[in-house]
Amino acid sequence: METGGSLVQAIRKPTLTPKAIIHQKFGSKASYTVEEVEEPTQNGCPGLAILQKGPCLYRCSLDLPDFTVVSGSFKKKKDAEQSAAQIALEKLGINLSADSPTAEEAWRELIARVKYIFSNEFLPALHPLSSHFKAALRRVGDLNASVPASVIAICDGKLNNLCKIINPTVESHPLLVLSYIMRAAAGLPELVVGAEGQLSIWRKDPYPPNVIESSISQQSDVAESITTMAIYIPCSPEKAVEPVILNISSTGYYFDVIAQILGLSDANMVLVSRTIGKASSETRFYFAAPKSYPLDMSSDLLNAKVVPFGGPLNARASSLCGQDIYGDSILASIGYTWKGQDIFHEDVTLQSYYRMLISKIPSGVYKLSREAILAAELPLTFTTKTNWKGSFPREILSSFCRQYRLLEPVFCVSSIPLKVSSELSRSNNKPGVSESADQEREYTNENESVDVDPKLVVSGSSFTCEIKIYSKCQDLILECAPNVLYKKQNDAVQSASLKVLSWLNAYLKDIDMSLEKEKQLANVFDIKFYRQIFFKEVVKCLSVCNCQHNETLGRKEPELNGVVENDASYINIEGTDSDLCPSNGSLLCVCYSVSLVTKGELQKELLESIEEFEFEMGTGAVIPCLEAVVSQMSVGQSACFYTELPPEDLVLAAAKDLANALAFLTSPCCLEYSIILLQVTEPPEDRMEQALFNPPLSKQRVEYAVQQIQEFCATSLVDFGCGSGSLLESLLEYPTSLETIAGVDISQKSLSRAAKVLHSKLVMKSDFDAPCRSIKSAILFDGSITDFDSRLCGFDLATCLEVIEHMEEEQASLFGDIVLSSFRPRVLIVSTPNYEYNVVLQKSNLTSHEDDPEEKIQSQSCKFRNHDHKFEWTREQFQHWASELAVRHKYRVEFSGVGGAVDLEPGFASQIAVFRRVFLPEDADGLKDEDSVWQYKVIWEWNRSM
């Protein structure tokens, strides 16, 4: 854990994209035209009779002065544009893979860049730096046309990139750029002047009047003055952070205003930090350089040193910026941008400051994304994309890396075949590094949704994701390789991201933990991190001010009613019990408000309120006391309770009126939560079952069907209501006597998916010893299971698993009559939910353990397991239905089930009826040709001989 790794070749120094190079060479003369195209769809399933709608594709045409090129087809417009630009570069003979310039070449380019910046051509250009030059022309006296070197350093990205090539340590020490800029200026004595020991540069000769006039004419009329709010952060931690007002006149330069507030007579001595937050932001720290700033003007380019600043470190500002800030500083959002010549400004309030502070940790980013600072918490688990609210874990992890100037996270997604994944799930090996992984794909996060690579997806595969995070210097900081498999690629990526975020939250809460505890924490979250580099890149930014807001760095769990004498009577729930209560996995919608109240409730100040706030129960998505109270409520009820104060930074970040909140905090007070439970959406049936059964009920039903196949030596099977083919697909993983399989469903979308899955498995599993090797033919039909089709007559075994409850009861009875009277399989297996078991799945409150079990079950009023269920039968109802069918059509019926036990209440979770045909002499005649009826449409057919 003490030494870092090296960055793999997948990560390289940032280079210009093809489109950027085209822009450099042609500017506005390059014209891109993107059009949507339709191409033949490759569904990967020969014989599929359903038309497949392909993805939306784009093609780009790039017009240059001498020629035009057209790209191929891509899913994303930007990819099409980059491809067109790449083709154009190849036609121009420009090789993107050329080596980066040497330090000496970059130094010559740097001097040329400084020369261009002070040329007549640059002043009229639309560039943030040229706007600073124009503003400097309005300065009076000796400062006229004098440009602070720090402005050049922050506004010109090309200069910064060249400095990084000359000396990579510039990434960690951005003020080194000033030394290189001043040295470059010193090499241009015929053009610019720079006073020794000062941080300003100006042209030796004034701009021609016509250049100045053309530049000024581009600027729009502005108001007499601009007023914007900023934050003054004293160096001394004992002094309070205060708001300040910046008043900039139309003829003034905002750097001079900031210098005046900092107590400087010369704005050229104002230093500027990197941007805070997004790269496009203009939010920066401004602070004073020493009277004689120590520049390293040595001739050694590669080994320019960071000269000690000589002033006191501003811990609060440094922690926010991730860069050393010295002395008193001003946090402001102001500057010139690419969007226009006029100055951009945005208020930075005290609330903004505290929100920036809490965004330094993952849980703070999540709270802000939900606008629920005092209610939300970063969830502990990622369940489904639908139930997740707020920024996704992958986005938060990317945001965290940007906050600390790290490279974008690298995700390594592995696809593992179903058979291998089942073996891995029973072993202790980590699948992310297993040799059994079918394919691995490595990519970096680009703030976009994760696209599933069709080449990566193997039918029936599981996914695992490994994450690596590197510093800007390309040192490996940490890696996470969870030993968990997921059915969806996106779930694997999001869950792995959440593990990293959860570890960061826990670690940053207790930076000084023992090595033993540190090791245990890393093991819990499958984290391997390199301590020295992690401390240098991340912890250092927080530890400088750790003594002031250490509690904000981690999850603090307020104790219920702690300030109000710990009396549970202060939890007040009002309203009639509607019996619609939340359970783990439910999606809840609440209306809530949080207020500061003084002891005795003499005064109250509203901090936060949301009319409709959704979260998933049991995932840790809200503070513990809020979830504890909501779990006792039913829909329509309201509740009021009190908690101790969380860290002060959270309160101030949420406060609508900061002055009032600060006044409240000077006296004993607590938080009052008022909640109304508006809605409860029960979790899907499969998720409820997965929470209680291992293996899941769906797998148990498959294994039950396999037992029946083996018992009766069945060679043919038809699945009525096959859906997307989950049963048929699963059966291919077991060695059976089956030679023919068939499926029927009314959903063409589901049948299309089933066809692709079955074709993929039957083609791929062609090994002699593969379980599905016995299958000789497979067919899928589009049709209703209440209609008769003679092609499915006389199969050995028929299944209808968890289907009839999706029909009306009359339709279920009709299906039973048709299948047993017309299709007449030797064996029919029908399963359906046991309504009596819902009391267990939904965790309803039972009256007493001493009550009679039957009375207990009957006393419950449970919801159906799925909103699409038309009915759910008790054991008695199901057995009555099945027994009547059996008698009517000369079948014997036996009852069983999966999930639970027959001799324990409330029986099986999924009840099963097995119908066995009683053979009669007339059955030997079979179906005559004239009785043939074809009402189904063949959707897909496969034959091994073909």
Side-chain angles (χ1 to χ4, degrees):
M1 288 169 54
E2 294 298 330
T3 59
S6 299
L7 182 57
V8 292
Q9 294 181 351
I11 302 179
R12 299 179 175 87
K13 290 182 179 180
T15 57
L16 290 176
T17 64
K19 192 175 177 182
I21 296 175
I22 291 293
H23 178 74
Q24 281 185 343
K25 294 187 173 295
F26 296 97
S28 60
K29 295 179 181 178
S31 175
Y32 295 86
T33 304
V34 179
E35 60 178 354
E36 191 172 336
V37 296
E38 292 184 6
E39 293 191 350
T41 302
Q42 300 295 328
N43 57 41
C45 183
L48 182 61
I50 301 174
L51 292 176
Q52 301 292 291
K53 183 180 180 181
C56 184
L57 300 177
Y58 299 95
R59 184 184 296 138
C60 177
S61 173
L62 171 57
D63 294 322
L64 296 177
D66 297 327
F67 60 86
T68 298
V69 296
V70 179
S71 74
S73 300
F74 296 86
K75 289 183 179 181
K76 298 175 182 177
K77 293 181 181 180
K78 69 174 186 178
D79 291 342
E81 292 174 340
Q82 293 291 359
S83 175
Q86 176 67 47
I87 295 171
L89 290 177
E90 291 173 357
K91 199 165 185 177
L92 291 168
I94 299 174
N95 184 11
L96 271 181
S97 61
D99 294 334
S100 299
T102 63
E104 290 74 15
E105 291 170 339
W107 173 246
R108 289 193 292 271
E109 288 186 37
L110 179 65
I111 295 175
R113 182 65 182 173
V114 173
K115 184 176 181 180
Y116 169 69
I117 285 173
F118 282 91
S119 67
N120 293 339
E121 291 78 15
F122 183 74
L123 189 65
L126 182 60
H127 192 289
L129 187 53
S130 69
S131 298
H132 279 276
F133 279 46
K134 295 163 194 171
L137 292 173
R138 298 195 293 268
R139 303 178 78 182
V140 296
D142 294 338
L143 298 178
N144 180 258
S146 175
V147 181
S150 59
V151 167
I152 301 174
I154 65 170
C155 287
D156 194 76
K158 293 180 181 178
L159 278 177
N160 273 275
N161 289 333
L162 290 169
C163 289
K164 291 174 185 177
I165 296 173
I166 296 169
N167 188 348
T169 60
V170 165
E171 185 64 52
S172 303
H173 306 285
L175 293 182
L176 270 178
V177 176
L178 296 177
S179 295
Y180 287 113
I181 290 174
M182 297 304 295
R183 288 167 64 181
L188 298 168
E190 73 287 351
L191 179 64
V192 296
V193 177
E196 185 176 352
Q198 298 297 310
L199 295 174
S200 60
I201 309 174
W202 60 92
R203 272 176 59 113
K204 186 174 182 180
D205 299 321
Y207 289 102
N210 62 315
V211 174
I212 296 176
E213 288 177 7
S214 64
S215 301
I216 295 176
S217 65
Q218 296 175 3
Q219 293 179 290
S220 61
D221 296 332
V222 295
E224 285 299 316
S225 65
I226 292 172
T227 301
T228 189
M229 186 176 292
I231 299 296
Y232 187 83
I233 305 177
C235 181
S236 172
E238 284 77 26
K239 294 183 179 179
V241 175
E242 297 178 344
V244 294
I245 302 297
L246 304 181
N247 290 309
I248 301 112
S249 68
S250 59
T251 59
Y253 185 32
Y254 75 88
F255 258 69
D256 291 322
V257 176
I258 291 175
Q260 186 178 3
I261 297 175
L262 289 173
L264 301 173
S265 58
D266 183 1
N268 293 328
M269 298 308 293
V270 174
L271 299 181
V272 192
S273 77
R274 297 178 290 203
T275 56
I276 312 298
K278 295 181 180 179
S280 59
S281 167
E282 287 301 318
T283 306
R284 304 173 186 270
F285 280 101
Y286 298 81
F287 56 107
K291 291 184 179 179
S292 180
Y293 186 72
L295 294 171
D296 181 5
M297 301 295 285
S298 64
S299 59
D300 189 354
L301 291 175
L302 294 177
N303 297 309
K305 298 178 180 178
V306 182
V307 183
F309 200 92
L313 184 71
N314 189 322
R316 289 178 289 192
S318 299
S319 71
L320 272 184
C321 184
Q323 173 186 342
D324 289 344
I325 307 294
Y326 297 90
D328 296 345
S329 65
I330 291 176
L331 178 62
S333 182
I334 188 170
Y336 295 101
T337 69
W338 289 92
K339 295 180 180 179
Q341 300 278 347
D342 299 331
I343 192 169
F344 166 85
H345 62 94
E346 197 171 48
D347 286 343
V348 178
T349 63
L350 274 174
Q351 187 189 52
S352 305
Y353 166 76
Y354 286 109
R355 289 187 168 217
M356 290 179 193
L357 200 61
I358 68 173
S359 71
K360 294 296 288 183
I361 58 168
S363 63
V365 177
Y366 181 77
K367 287 173 177 287
L368 291 170
S369 75
R370 299 228 57 195
E371 286 295 327
I373 295 171
L374 298 175
E377 281 287 6
L378 181 68
L380 301 173
T381 57
F382 182 86
T383 54
T384 65
K385 185 177 180 180
T386 303
N387 280 11
W388 185 276
K389 307 300 176 183
S391 296
F392 284 97
R394 188 180 61 87
E395 297 168 4
I396 299 174
L397 183 58
S398 180
S399 174
F400 179 87
C401 291
R402 287 192 292 268
Q403 283 267 4
Y404 290 89
R405 309 285 172 177
L406 308 175
L407 292 178
E408 289 290 322
V410 177
F411 300 88
C412 304
V413 179
S414 300
S415 170
I416 302 173
L418 184 64
K419 183 178 179 181
V420 175
S421 66
S422 62
E423 295 173 357
L424 286 172
S425 65
R426 295 190 294 268
S427 68
N428 294 324
N429 295 328
K430 291 194 175 184
V433 294
S434 170
E435 294 180 359
S436 302
D438 183 73
Q439 295 186 39
E440 186 174 275
R441 174 190 180 201
E442 186 172 281
Y443 58 94
T444 55
N445 181 357
E446 297 180 353
N447 200 26
E448 303 165 353
S449 60
V450 177
D451 292 326
V452 177
D453 186 350
K455 297 178 182 178
L456 184 65
V457 178
V458 179
S459 177
S461 295
S462 296
F463 296 95
T464 184
C465 177
E466 181 180 1
I467 297 177
K468 298 179 182 179
I469 297 178
Y470 295 88
S471 71
K472 285 284 188 181
C473 295
Q474 303 180 352
D475 294 317
L476 181 60
I477 296 176
L478 69 83
E479 49 190 325
C480 175
N483 188 21
V484 183
L485 300 175
Y486 297 89
K487 291 183 178 179
K488 297 181 180 178
Q489 182 176 349
N490 182 61
D491 289 353
V493 172
Q494 300 293 357
S495 297
S497 300
L498 186 56
K499 279 219 168 190
V500 176
L501 296 174
S502 299
W503 176 81
L504 287 168
N505 273 338
Y507 192 89
L508 296 177
K509 178 182 179 180
D510 186 10
I511 295 173
D512 299 321
M513 69 177 67
S514 66
L515 288 176
E516 182 63 28
K517 184 177 179 182
E518 186 179 280
K519 184 178 180 180
Q520 291 175 354
L521 186 66
N523 289 336
V524 167
F525 293 104
D526 301 309
I527 296 289
K528 180 181 180 182
F529 78 107
Y530 303 95
R531 200 169 188 271
Q532 292 179 348
I533 301 174
F534 181 76
F535 266 67
K536 174 186 173 184
E537 299 291 341
V538 177
V539 177
K540 179 185 174 183
C541 299
L542 294 167
S543 60
V544 290
C545 56
N546 190 40
C547 58
Q548 181 188 346
H549 51 265
N550 182 56
E551 288 184 332
T552 307
L553 300 179
R555 177 187 293 244
K556 180 178 178 180
E557 300 183 0
E559 296 179 7
L560 197 61
N561 303 316
V563 172
V564 200
E565 301 173 359
N566 281 323
D567 190 345
S569 64
Y570 282 95
I571 304 175
N572 183 24
I573 299 178
E574 297 181 344
T576 305
D577 188 350
S578 63
D579 288 332
L580 294 174
C581 302
S583 59
N584 285 347
S586 302
L587 187 64
L588 275 57
C589 182
V590 301
C591 169
Y592 81 90
S593 63
V594 188
S595 302
L596 271 174
V597 294
T598 57
K599 196 169 184 180
E601 300 187 49
L602 299 177
Q603 291 180 304
K604 183 184 294 188
E605 173 68 21
L606 179 64
L607 296 176
E608 180 176 287
S609 63
I610 297 182
E611 291 187 1
E612 293 184 356
F613 179 75
E614 289 187 321
F615 67 94
E616 184 175 357
M617 190 79 170
T619 61
V622 293
I623 59 175
C625 53
L626 177 57
E627 184 166 297
V629 171
V630 172
S631 66
Q632 304 174 44
M633 301 169 62
S634 64
V635 172
Q637 288 186 323
S638 61
C640 180
F641 65 94
Y642 301 86
T643 72
E644 293 179 345
L645 287 179
E648 186 176 292
D649 295 337
L650 293 177
V651 175
L652 297 178
K656 300 179 183 299
D657 189 323
L658 211 65
N660 284 353
L662 286 169
F664 268 76
L665 292 174
T666 59
S667 58
C669 56
C670 62
L671 292 186
E672 177 193 76
Y673 284 77
S674 297
I675 316 168
I676 301 174
L677 181 55
L678 302 176
Q679 185 177 346
V680 174
T681 303
E682 288 299 329
E685 178 183 2
D686 57 345
R687 285 192 53 210
M688 284 194 295
E689 294 176 350
Q690 288 174 13
L692 286 177
F693 301 106
N694 185 23
L697 286 183
S698 57
K699 187 172 182 180
Q700 292 188 43
R701 284 190 287 265
V702 171
E703 292 174 345
Y704 187 91
V706 170
Q707 291 176 5
Q708 299 299 315
I709 294 170
Q710 293 173 340
E711 180 181 344
F712 292 97
C713 298
T715 61
S716 57
L717 178 143
V718 56
D719 186 21
F720 290 104
C722 65
S724 56
S726 59
L727 173 64
L728 298 176
E729 175 191 2
S730 299
L731 289 176
L732 299 182
E733 297 296 329
Y734 295 85
T736 66
S737 54
L738 289 176
E739 297 178 359
T740 300
I741 56 174
V744 185
D745 204 273
I746 59 173
S747 169
Q748 288 198 354
K749 182 178 180 180
S750 296
L751 288 168
S752 176
R753 191 266 178 190
K756 294 175 184 177
V757 168
L758 293 175
H759 179 270
S760 175
K761 283 216 169 179
L762 289 167
V763 171
M764 291 183 61
K765 304 284 187 178
S766 57
D767 298 339
F768 183 79
D769 57 348
C772 64
R773 182 65 186 176
S774 64
I775 303 295
K776 297 178 180 178
S777 63
I779 190 168
L780 295 176
F781 292 101
D782 175 16
S784 170
I785 62 175
T786 58
D787 291 333
F788 174 67
D789 190 297
S790 57
R791 287 171 289 186
L792 293 181
C793 278
F795 271 59
D796 288 341
L797 195 145
T799 55
C800 184
L801 306 184
E802 309 296 294
V803 174
I804 61 172
E805 64 272 10
H806 296 272
M807 312 163 67
E808 298 294 343
E809 292 189 60
E810 295 79 7
Q811 292 292 307
S813 296
L814 177 59
F815 161 72
D817 286 330
I818 289 176
V819 72
L820 296 181
S821 66
S822 301
F823 289 109
R824 294 189 62 75
R826 287 174 57 201
V827 178
L828 170 67
I829 304 173
V830 178
S831 76
T832 190
N834 173 13
Y835 177 71
E836 297 165 88
Y837 207 91
N838 291 1
V839 67
V840 179
L841 291 173
Q842 297 168 13
K843 297 183 179 179
S844 302
N845 294 320
L846 297 178
T847 53
S848 171
H849 290 290
E850 288 77 18
D851 292 339
D852 181 71
E854 293 186 5
E855 292 181 0
K856 246 190 323 189
I857 298 301
Q858 293 172 1
S859 68
Q860 303 306 312
S861 177
C862 297
K863 296 178 286 295
F864 290 167
R865 298 184 198 178
N866 192 306
H867 69 279
D868 190 47
H869 287 185
K870 303 299 189 294
F871 65 86
E872 288 183 7
W873 282 334
T874 63
R875 286 167 289 177
E876 182 182 352
Q877 290 173 313
F878 180 57
Q879 291 173 14
H880 176 74
W881 173 81
S883 298
E884 283 196 343
L885 283 174
V887 170
R888 192 156 56 242
H889 301 292
K890 301 182 177 60
Y891 274 76
R892 294 194 305 270
V893 63
E894 297 174 0
F895 297 98
S896 184
V898 293
V902 67
D903 54 347
L904 293 177
E905 290 297 327
F908 292 108
S910 183
Q911 50 189 339
I912 296 176
V914 180
F915 298 84
R916 291 180 174 84
R917 194 172 72 189
V918 178
F919 281 90
L920 299 174
E922 56 267 25
D923 292 334
D925 296 338
L927 188 72
K928 298 179 181 178
D929 291 340
E930 58 267 21
D931 296 330
S932 297
V933 177
W934 291 14
Q935 296 197 65
Y936 294 163
K937 177 183 177 183
V938 176
I939 293 298
W940 169 80
E941 188 172 6
W942 176 88
N943 193 296
R944 187 171 295 278
S945 62
M946 297 171 59

